[in-house]
């Protein structure tokens, strides 16, 4: 067994600056990093089956066994050779036993060694494959975007409710320590009342064939924009109104977009695009402080925390960058399943639905519809 | 004469990083800081009359005599005592002679010692006062927002054209060295094709009475948002479509807003608000590089310049912060008038009109209208 499971992510987190902890305590929400961010290696051991053998499945099969208590027992592709190649490329992912390669998704979801299924295929397949896993009695972690639209998501959640099985959108970024601290600052009132949130996620991905295909629900929004929209929702909830502008390709997929969101007490903007790379920054503005994520807001990254306003403002930094990132969501799934829960409090079904409703409205305004929707 | 006119702003500018200059040269636009940013002390000496005695007039009367060749010869307020107090507070602004205090705007625009009028009153007065100055045969620099709407601006420009007199919107930020370099990077193609521009300008200004009054054309947009909108226009021009969401106060002024702008090749967002302070950042994203202004994009500030994409990207910084800032626009006015021009190539009439048209459309969508518009 080549993996070194002594890698404990939370041991590598730097200390949160004392004035930031003081501000949280003063707001009535004392914050303890150890309580707020449980160590992924300490979660119940969960045996994962991966449905799909693409890029994000590769990240999952690398991060999760190395940095959490979980392991990968099986992978499935419609092309058996592709599944086998994936298994061969991850000899240590099973922590002592080889990853089993399945040539059908049915075989994977019915594999008795699989405790939970991770769906890592293009968006257009998510709904049917999540239903397949649930029908086989398996809890399921579904890559973001969770489905092509809110209607598909409702079908999956209805099936999960009927089967009393766990389902979660794989919005891994919500479980990152930086995002946990940010939400604590926002929800405690330590930043005052929130007035503005922005997030943008632009990457140069026009060369990726899948993203140019409307039948695969390609485009920037469901791949990149979902991070921006979900970030806004994680802090402000569902908006009262949504408007959007953007550009479509000749194939009809969205190349980039700016989504403007209105709230009773705030405004927000969620932007995304696949024709150029931005700094992928985000900012949360409150009446008593703000938090800036100057780069890669959706990954383990650095937070600039400004407390107070005007000339009294004090600036602190918490650079919570570390290796991987998927280990936190995998541990959350393991803990929820062990506790008999059907949804995560951090990434609940209602949030996934609300994010899809915002994206549905943005797509309606942009004129993007996927075949067969 | 207490002022030390040896203060030369451009002497204090740091050297632009060599790879940035190389990128401009490779794009076919060799950039020389001395050519692109003329020293404000070397502009023709211009004798200014200031119409209005509020906060921004105070900044002008401080910056311009100290940091450019210009001087202040007169100030006017409808309240003579207020004008006199302003004059007394700026004993050196006349560079050897006291600033004359006028108790009427008519007296100021007809003062034979006044070469040019700077209008520094609330937005709702700009149009009539600009017309007053032009009728008196005086060129005029009008505080931003230039007018309440595009229709008012058209009246002023028509009068200026008829009288063959210089008029410019006091969008001082366009003349700052950092913005000059940024526009050179964008227009040369050194950043590739622009795909996304964002700017946001949130400050805590709810306590300012003027901003809460609809009759004074208060609200966040005309005071703060104009910087964000103008920034986008300076790089992408007039959008093909504009949409907006925002919040209104009980008095009907806009408290904050997100404006989403669409272009044939890009998207943009211009946000503003007066209920909380943001980092006031901006970003310009191209296919071959990007520029981030992480804080105070509208002032002399630091530019982060990223050249190249993906793993090859190189990051440079040009920290062009310095004292003041109004000296550059004042010098531009002096140079244009001496050259017999009616408008500045850097801040031309068409740009002012286009920015107001974008703000008119945003206001229409927000439901903000000023009395008597």
């Amino acid at each position: 067994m080549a993996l070194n499971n002594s890698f404990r992510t939370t041991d590598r987190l730097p200390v949160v600056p004392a004035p930031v902890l003081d501000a949280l305590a003063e707001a009535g929400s004392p914050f303890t990093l150890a309580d707020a961010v449980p160590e992924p290696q300490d979660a119940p051991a969960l045996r994962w089956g991966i449905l799909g053998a693409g890029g994000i499945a590769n990240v999952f099969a690398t991060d999760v066994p190395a940095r959490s208590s979980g392991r990968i027992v099986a992978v499935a592709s419609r092309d058996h050779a592709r599944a086998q190649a994936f298994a061969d490329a991850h000899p240590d992912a099973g922590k002592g036993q080889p990853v089993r390669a399945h040539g059908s998704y049915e075989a994977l979801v019915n594999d008795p060694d699989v405790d939970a299924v991770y769906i890592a295929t293009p968006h257009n397949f998510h709904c049917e494959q999540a239903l397949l896993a649930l029908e086989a009695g398996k809890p399921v972690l579904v890559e973001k975007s969770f489905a092509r639209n809110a209607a598909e998501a409702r079908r999956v959640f209805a099936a999960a409710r009927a089967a009393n099985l766990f389902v979660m959108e794989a919005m891994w970024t919500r479980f990152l320590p930086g995002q946990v601290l940010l939400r604590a600052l926002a929800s405690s009132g330590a930043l005052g009342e929130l007035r503005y949130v922005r997030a943008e996620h632009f990457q140069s991905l026009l060369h990726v064939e899948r993203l140019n295909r409307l039948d695969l629900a390609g485009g920037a929004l469901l791949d990149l924009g979902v991070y921006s929209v979900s970030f806004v929702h994680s802090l402000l909830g569902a908006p009262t109104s949504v408007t959007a502008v953007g550009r479509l390709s000749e194939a009809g997929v969205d190349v980039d977009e700016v989504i403007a969101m209105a709230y009773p007490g705030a405004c927000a903007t969620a932007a995304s695009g696949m024709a150029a790379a931005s700094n992928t920054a985000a900012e949360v503005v409150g009446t008593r402080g703000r938090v800036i994520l100057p780069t890669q807001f959706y990954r383990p990254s650095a937070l600039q925390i400004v407390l107070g306003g005007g000339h009294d403002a004090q600036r602190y930094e918490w650079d919570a960058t570390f290796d991987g990132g998927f280990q936190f969501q995998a541990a959350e799934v393991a803990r929820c399943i062990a506790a008999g829960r059907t949804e995560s409090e951090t990434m609940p079904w209602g949030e996934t639905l609300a994010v899809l409703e915002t994206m549905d409205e943005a797509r309606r305004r942009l004129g993007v519809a996927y075949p067969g929707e």
Side-chain angles (χ1 to χ4, degrees), chain A:
Chain A
M1 186 172 160
L3 279 174
N4 176 5
N5 274 309
S6 66
F7 185 109
R8 295 177 64 84
T9 307
T10 57
D11 290 350
R12 289 158 199 246
L13 292 173
V15 175
V16 177
V20 175
L21 295 177
D22 291 349
L24 282 158
E26 283 165 27
S29 293
F31 183 88
T32 310
L33 199 58
D35 293 344
V37 184
E39 166 56 44
Q41 295 288 15
D42 297 340
L46 192 68
R47 298 174 302 169
W48 287 96
I50 301 180
L51 200 157
I56 202 149
N58 192 58
V59 176
F60 192 89
T62 304
D63 271 14
V64 172
R67 303 188 172 98
S68 84
S69 56
R71 59 189 165 106
I72 314 301
V73 295
V75 62
S77 169
R78 284 181 179 140
D79 175 353
H80 187 275
R82 186 169 151 87
Q84 190 60 55
F86 186 96
D88 294 343
H90 296 280
D92 301 323
K95 295 185 174 175
Q97 66 183 62
V99 175
R100 197 174 302 152
H102 292 293
S104 82
Y105 300 146
E106 290 75 10
L108 181 101
V109 300
N110 288 303
D111 185 328
D113 288 342
V114 168
D115 295 327
V117 174
Y118 169 58
I119 293 178
T121 52
H123 314 295
N124 58 304
F125 299 119
H126 289 179
C127 176
E128 64 179 87
Q129 293 168 347
L131 293 172
L132 187 75
L134 293 169
E135 282 160 20
K138 295 288 163 69
V140 61
L141 175 67
V142 184
E143 248 319 310
K144 66 209 168 306
S145 291
F146 183 81
R148 294 186 299 182
N149 54 46
E152 287 187 345
R154 283 193 197 92
R155 288 177 56 202
V156 174
F157 294 137
R161 186 175 289 112
N164 196 36
L165 284 168
F166 180 85
V167 170
M168 190 178 92
E169 181 181 4
M171 185 48 78
W172 60 293
T173 192
R174 289 222 179 181
F175 302 95
L176 298 176
Q179 303 273 331
V180 173
L181 177 62
L182 169 59
R183 287 199 305 274
L185 284 163
S187 64
S188 67
L191 300 179
E193 294 176 39
L194 299 193
R195 293 292 179 233
Y196 178 61
V197 175
R198 73 168 162 91
E200 63 252 328
H201 194 182
F202 288 74
Q203 295 195 24
S204 287
L205 297 175
L206 279 181
H207 58 280
V208 179
E209 193 219 343
R210 174 178 65 81
L211 293 177
N212 291 286
R213 283 180 55 181
L214 198 60
D215 60 322
L216 299 180
L221 183 61
L222 263 53
D223 248 68
L224 303 172
V226 65
Y227 283 101
S228 306
V229 172
S230 191
F231 181 85
V232 173
H233 274 253
S234 75
L235 293 155
L236 293 174
T240 50
S241 76
V242 172
T243 186
V245 298
R247 297 189 304 140
L248 306 193
S249 75
E250 286 185 19
V253 300
D254 56 298
V255 175
D256 40 40
E257 55 263 316
V258 170
I259 304 174
M261 301 156 75
Y263 292 85
C267 294
T269 177
S272 42
M274 60 181 183
S278 75
N279 239 31
T280 58
E283 185 169 1
V284 181
V285 173
T287 52
R288 287 171 52 203
R290 59 188 184 272
V291 177
I292 301 107
L293 294 82
T295 186
Q296 293 197 307
F297 78 88
Y298 60 97
R299 300 198 66 239
S301 61
L303 271 62
Q304 295 171 353
I305 302 163
V306 182
L307 296 178
H311 300 298
D312 299 334
Q314 296 292 318
R315 191 178 282 259
Y316 308 96
E317 178 148 331
W318 190 49
D319 188 0
T321 52
F322 49 79
D323 292 335
F326 280 25
Q327 60 266 37
F328 290 97
Q329 70 171 352
E332 170 76 356
V333 175
R335 288 192 304 265
C336 287
I337 291 173
R341 293 210 290 269
T342 57
E343 57 183 309
S344 159
E345 288 177 11
T346 303
M347 190 66 236
W349 297 354
E351 276 281 285
T352 291
L353 274 176
V355 167
L356 281 166
E357 283 165 355
T358 293
M359 297 204 296
D360 286 354
E361 177 61 15
R363 281 203 292 127
R364 191 184 69 76
R365 289 175 179 267
L366 298 176
V368 175
Y370 309 121
E373 255 193 309

